[in-house]
Amino acid sequence: MVVAPTHLLAALLALGTLVDSSLASAVPDADKLATSSSDSTSLESAFSSLNATVGGRLKSAVPFEAPCFSIVEGQSVQADTAACSAIQASYTDPTFRVTHFGAYMLPQWETCQSSQTTEGCLLDSSNPTNPLAINGVNCQLGNVPPYYIEVNSYKDVQAALAFSNSTGVRLSVKNKGHDYKGRSSGKDTLNLWTTNLRSLSHSATFTPEGCEGKTYDAITTGAGVFTQDVYQFADSVNRTIIAGYHQTIGFSGGYFLGGGHSILSPVYGLAADRVVQVKIVTPDGVYRTANECQNTDLFFALRGGGGSAFGVVIESTHRVEPLFPIQAAVLKFTPSASTDLAAWYSLMVDNSYKWANEGWGGHIVGPTLIHVTPLLSTEEARASMQPAVDFVTAHNGTVTIEELPSYLAFFTKYVTSAQAAVGPEIELGTRLIPSKFFSTAEGRSQLSALINDTLSFASPYIVAGTPWLFNATAGATAVTPAWRDAIWHLSVRAELFQYNDTLAERVAKYQGLSEHIQKFRDLTPGSGAYFNEGDVYEPDHETAYWGDNYAKLLAVKQKYDPQGLLDCWQCVGWKGESDDLYQCHVKL
Ligand SMILES: Cc1cc2nc3c(=O)[nH]c(=O)nc-3n(C[C@H](O)[C@H](O)[C@H](O)COP(=O)(O)OP(=O)(O)OC[C@H]3O[C@@H](n4cnc5c(N)ncnc54)[C@H](O)[C@@H]3O)c2cc1C
Ligand SMILES: *[C@@H]1O[C@H](CO)[C@@H](O)[C@H](O)[C@H]1NC(C)=O
Ligand SMILES: *[C@@H]1O[C@H](CO)[C@@H](O)[C@H](O)[C@H]1NC(C)=O
Ligand SMILES: *[C@@H]1O[C@H](CO)[C@@H](O)[C@H](O)[C@H]1NC(C)=O
Ligand SMILES: *[C@@H]1O[C@H](CO)[C@@H](O)[C@H](O)[C@H]1NC(C)=O
Ligand SMILES: *[C@@H]1O[C@H](CO)[C@@H](O)[C@H](O)[C@H]1NC(C)=O
Ligand SMILES: *[C@@H]1O[C@H](CO)[C@@H](O)[C@H](O)[C@H]1NC(C)=O
Ligand SMILES: *[C@@H]1O[C@H](CO)[C@@H](O)[C@H](O)[C@H]1NC(C)=O
């Protein structure tokens, strides 16, 4: 029996014990649906038995910000001032947001963006105590999945897949909620929250199952392990792990599945290059081990194929490196003349080919550069950075070039205070910039000119985190081959969404971003973009994210997901924007 997803809440509303009464108004005509639908009774009992199967870990969601509001789902309630103050004080703190199921790092994905006004429950991220966002405002669940299972083991995932298969209730998968494209939320979906799968172990002689005789120095992590924790664990066993530039990204879920860049990637490769085994429940309900010796087609797809399209990861194993000292360069200045930023970016363009060849990776965000290299001595690092040091010094900025004993020491000292913001409603578009825009005079001048044009809209966020020096095995990963010849992964941020934007304003902001990122697409025909950080409305996303790998990926998708049970926005085998799963995505 298959019922329409709109029956999800309706059926649950009939279940007095199952549903939080505040949700009763989430579907305006819920009562009507609940009483008129004969399917609701069987859905209700299917939900009850699912809850029993997962040991009572089926939960109903509440909006993260709900304690601040006196109207929740249309009903008058007592606001909880103490809880609200805590939320306001930590609204942009990732370690706080990540503990709440109803919170997403980019809060626009908590809301139903396709609604004419705002169907959600946001505070004003630029001033979380702004009473205009709260007083008299109806706090709604919006795009947050109304129900979720706190996944404890692969069996929970199997139960949810069987439930979805027989009821038609759609699934979504969330880990730490960093997704820039809304792939981990979804109105009316049942969500699988893998955040609590936190195992960590190390083996200097890890053998992928079925690969007797082959060993790797590797760390195995549960899907829900924080990037911060995997860095600390690796350091504690005298190893370096190659991971992302933020404390609370889930290392072993969406990050490596989408490719996963690090500022150590220029030397050590993408996360997709370094994974050696994945344990995953594929959408056909089977708990599988994928590595170079078994389920090799699936393993290929999991190395950059992305999102939850190929199943729900329970744990994964990744190669590590010995502990090594690292050279760090941290340069900042305050632009004074209007041409300072353009001159600075132009200097960045001119030096990045040399820097890439010397193993430097890092971020350039407006007038700030933070780079590291494991390949140079401190003296060599100073000489290499001299042109940038001269520029920053001439602009009265600050310069630090120093050796740190480990990547963790660097991360702790420099990254936790510089990592990308969460809480504001940020939206990105990206492009992989090929090496010829750094190695040739013509390319450099074209790229610098386009960046100069873009500056009136936004300062590009540059990640020097492509696998430039890494010796990849041809054909082993699913990411677009454009990664291998790129030196920058460049992103442009849209004007921030506001808590009270209208639909027309959201459309305008998405379109404004697309126009700017389109200029970088036009400059770099045949290149691609990073799946996890791409434009929500990436045109020809199959080619942009996977290039020639797409046909093979689609075949793997069809093999392991014959019923089409898992789908996500612009993922492999995507059902398209008109699918009910995307009812809250704006249609441009
Ligand atoms: C502040 C910030 C900094 C970032 N920095 C970097 C960076 O340095 N390098 C980089 O490469 N990326 C970076 N990203 C992008 C990041 O890697 C992706 O957004 C990543 O998917 C986030 O993982 P998550 O668990 O936090 O997100 P979620 O939103 O929970 O999930 C992201 C995607 O993965 C899927 N997913 C989650 N868990 C599982 C699972 N167990 N099995 C299968 N699918 C799953 C979700 O369905 C969704 O499609 C950054 C993002 C943010 C917001
Ligand atoms: C699932 O069962 C547990 C334990 O019986 C109960 O506390 C919980 O509320 C149920 N979940 C839902 C969504 O009703
Ligand atoms: C879904 O249902 C089909 C047919 O009813 C069955 O063959 C398949 O195994 C089911 N899949 C899951 C994950 O339960
Ligand atoms: C890590 O290295 C230090 C210094 O060489 C040593 O004292 C320590 O025992 C090592 N720890 C592990 C877990 O190998
Ligand atoms: C740097 O500081 C000096 C001394 O205070 C000042 O004369 C000069 O104008 C400053 N330069 C810039 C670019 O701000
Ligand atoms: C940069 O853009 C400005 C206008 O925003 C223009 O005046 C200037 O000539 C441009 N500089 C270069 C080097 O293209
Ligand atoms: C890639 O391979 C070449 C040739 O074997 C080697 O010299 C180089 O050091 C390797 N690069 C990296 C980053 O390991
Ligand atoms: C949103 O709220 C701000 C004040 O916080 C106000 O200035 C602005 O006009 C509002 N926008 C809309 C579309 O209501």
Side-chain angles (χ1 to χ4, degrees):
M1 177 215 56
V2 171
V3 297
T6 43
H7 291 156
L8 166 57
L9 279 172
L12 293 166
L13 292 167
L15 258 185
T17 53
L18 194 62
V19 82
D20 180 325
S21 67
S22 69
L23 268 177
S25 51
V27 171
D29 53 352
D31 292 338
K32 194 180 84 208
L33 282 171
T35 50
S36 65
S37 167
S38 57
D39 287 336
S40 296
T41 323
S42 37
L43 185 54
E44 176 189 321
S45 77
F47 256 106
S48 291
S49 72
L50 174 64
N51 197 10
T53 307
V54 301
R57 272 172 291 101
L58 176 69
K59 313 228 165 145
S60 54
V62 282
F64 167 55
E65 303 85 348
C68 294
F69 289 77
S70 306
I71 311 171
V72 175
E73 305 296 355
Q75 295 185 346
S76 292
V77 294
Q78 186 76 45
D80 180 342
T81 8
C84 177
S85 299
I87 292 164
Q88 288 172 323
S90 301
Y91 199 64
T92 58
D93 176 353
T95 61
F96 184 76
R97 296 191 78 86
V98 81
T99 59
H100 292 258
F101 177 77
Y104 285 77
M105 294 298 165
L106 295 316
Q108 69 269 30
W109 296 112
E110 297 168 18
T111 73
C112 196
Q113 295 174 43
S114 58
S115 297
Q116 277 301 329
T117 53
T118 305
E119 181 191 330
C121 189
L122 298 183
L123 302 183
D124 177 352
S125 60
S126 63
N127 172 18
T129 60
N130 181 357
L132 295 174
I134 300 169
N135 295 342
V137 174
N138 181 19
C139 163
Q140 296 167 282
L141 208 45
N143 196 41
V144 174
Y147 291 91
Y148 62 99
I149 297 170
E150 262 178 34
V151 174
N152 259 3
S153 88
Y154 70 90
K155 291 182 181 160
D156 296 340
V157 178
Q158 290 175 324
L161 284 164
F163 170 84
S164 174
N165 198 25
S166 62
T167 62
V169 170
R170 305 294 288 276
L171 301 175
S172 57
V173 183
K174 182 186 185 196
N175 192 13
K176 304 301 187 192
H178 280 247
D179 202 68
Y180 280 110
K181 300 192 290 188
R183 296 173 304 172
S184 52
S185 49
K187 189 183 174 83
D188 288 346
T189 62
L190 167 65
N191 188 275
L192 293 165
W193 197 22
T194 59
T195 191
N196 287 332
L197 298 170
R198 304 269 179 91
S199 59
L200 269 169
S201 61
H202 170 241
S203 169
T205 55
F206 177 82
T207 300
E209 287 173 26
C211 296
E212 276 61 41
K214 189 140 216 163
T215 64
Y216 295 99
D217 188 359
I219 282 177
T220 299
T221 83
V225 171
F226 288 102
T227 292
Q228 170 85 45
D229 290 348
V230 79
Y231 279 136
Q232 275 166 346
F233 177 74
D235 198 79
S236 76
V237 294
N238 292 337
R239 296 296 190 280
T240 305
I241 191 138
I242 315 309
Y245 204 73
H246 195 278
Q247 295 167 280
T248 58
I249 298 170
F251 173 73
S252 165
Y255 168 76
F256 88 88
L257 290 166
H261 62 75
S262 164
I263 65 172
L264 292 173
S265 294
V267 177
Y268 295 106
L270 298 170
D273 288 316
R274 304 186 57 86
V275 62
V276 294
Q277 179 164 291
V278 183
K279 296 202 172 186
I280 183 168
V281 183
T282 42
D284 56 4
V286 182
Y287 185 43
R288 299 178 195 272
T289 298
N291 59 38
E292 67 197 282
C293 303
Q294 56 178 305
N295 295 311
T296 52
D297 54 351
L298 179 63
F299 187 51
F300 161 81
L302 296 172
R303 301 178 78 174
S308 56
F310 298 93
V312 179
V313 173
I314 300 300
E315 65 169 51
S316 58
T317 304
H318 304 258
R319 284 164 56 197
V320 291
E321 299 293 329
L323 217 48
F324 50 75
I326 195 157
Q327 308 304 327
V330 180
L331 281 67
K332 293 179 189 157
F333 70 99
T334 306
S336 46
S338 63
T339 52
D340 282 355
L341 263 189
W344 165 252
Y345 273 104
S346 173
L347 183 85
M348 299 293 101
V349 171
D350 291 349
N351 283 276
S352 283
Y353 188 68
K354 176 173 99 99
W355 288 339
N357 285 325
E358 292 169 342
W360 289 102
H363 290 202
I364 300 159
V365 189
T368 301
L369 170 147
I370 303 181
H371 270 39
V372 297
T373 174
L375 299 186
L376 302 181
S377 69
T378 312
E379 280 321 297
E380 290 165 338
R382 277 185 208 290
S384 170
M385 279 289 153
Q386 199 59 49
V389 170
D390 290 344
F391 183 99
V392 167
T393 306
H395 290 79
N396 292 341
T398 58
V399 171
T400 307
I401 293 178
E402 63 173 338
E403 178 172 298
L404 289 157
S406 65
Y407 186 81
L408 178 63
F410 161 77
F411 189 84
T412 308
K413 184 165 181 185
Y414 291 113
V415 179
T416 50
S417 58
Q419 63 195 5
V422 304
E425 290 84 6
I426 293 166
E427 204 251 304
L428 298 179
T430 78
R431 197 68 183 164
L432 295 167
I433 310 294
S435 58
K436 74 170 186 192
F437 291 95
F438 305 93
S439 63
T440 70
E442 190 197 359
R444 287 192 294 268
S445 81
Q446 288 175 334
L447 179 58
S448 291
L450 180 52
I451 290 174
N452 184 41
D453 284 351
T454 308
L455 286 174
S456 60
F457 177 76
S459 297
Y461 190 120
I462 310 299
V463 176
T466 61
W468 175 247
L469 296 179
F470 182 74
N471 294 315
T473 308
T477 66
V479 296
T480 170
W483 273 104
R484 309 287 169 196
D485 178 49
I487 288 193
W488 282 2
H489 152 51
L490 175 149
S491 64
V492 176
R493 292 180 171 188
E495 188 189 340
L496 290 181
F497 291 128
Q498 300 300 320
Y499 69 91
N500 59 349
D501 275 346
T502 60
L503 177 57
E505 286 165 326
R506 285 190 286 273
V507 168
K509 287 175 186 180
Y510 276 124
Q511 284 172 339
L513 176 67
S514 288
E515 268 168 39
H516 283 89
I517 204 68
Q518 185 59 40
K519 293 181 186 165
F520 288 92
R521 291 187 195 111
D522 293 343
L523 180 69
T524 59
S527 189
Y530 178 29
F531 179 52
N532 282 338
E533 299 181 332
D535 185 348
V536 177
Y537 300 94
E538 185 70 29
D540 190 10
H541 65 277
E542 293 95 340
T543 308
Y545 299 142
W546 301 290
D548 292 349
N549 292 322
Y550 191 71
K552 188 173 168 192
L553 284 168
L554 189 58
V556 178
K557 169 71 176 172
Q558 284 158 354
K559 173 176 170 187
Y560 291 96
D561 192 6
Q563 250 73 36
L565 292 183
L566 288 178
D567 202 71
C568 40
W569 180 267
Q570 292 199 342
C571 287
V572 172
W574 185 42
K575 290 179 175 154
E577 64 174 26
S578 61
D579 189 89
D580 224 41
L581 215 45
Y582 313 112
Q583 58 184 294
C584 286
H585 276 73
V586 171
K587 311 301 182 297
L588 292 186

